[in-house]
Amino acid sequence: LKDQLHLPPAESSMLLSLTYWPWVLKPAWGFIADTFPIMNSRRRSYLVLAGLVSAFGYVGLGMGIGGDEKVAVLLQLMLGNFGIAFSDVV
């Protein structure tokens, strides 16, 4: 990551640490999934949505969407982590 975006080690560490916020909010994801069912389903629809969000983030990252923009890479990594964290709770 630091080589591709040409970041110093401190900035690269900060960028990666920002991508892990979905894991900190895991209790909130569980509450949301249990409280607000989608199409009368508390689990299946959330798992499908979480998988799609995660795939969108990682496929976009793999395809180079956003290029060498730090914000684009940050958002794609956040989406990937969000999908995995949410599906881990559900």
Side-chain angles (χ1 to χ4, degrees):
L1 182 66
K2 72 179 186 70
D3 294 334
Q4 183 70 25
L5 297 177
H6 308 292
L7 299 174
E11 192 173 355
S12 176
S13 295
M14 187 205 55
L15 183 72
L16 280 176
S17 70
L18 289 175
T19 65
Y20 291 112
W21 70 265
W23 290 96
V24 175
L25 297 175
K26 274 178 64 173
W29 309 142
F31 176 75
I32 290 169
D34 289 340
T35 306
F36 306 106
I38 297 176
M39 298 184 328
N40 295 326
S41 174
R42 294 187 189 277
R43 303 279 185 248
R44 187 177 315 146
S45 55
Y46 279 108
L47 284 172
V48 170
L49 285 174
L52 290 173
V53 167
S54 184
F56 179 74
Y58 287 128
V59 167
L61 190 66
M63 291 177 60
I65 296 173
D68 291 339
E69 299 265 342
K70 288 186 283 188
V71 174
V73 172
L74 176 68
L75 290 175
Q76 290 166 350
L77 286 171
M78 278 185 188
L79 282 175
N81 280 330
F82 173 77
I84 293 172
F86 203 99
S87 65
D88 185 53
V89 171
V90 174

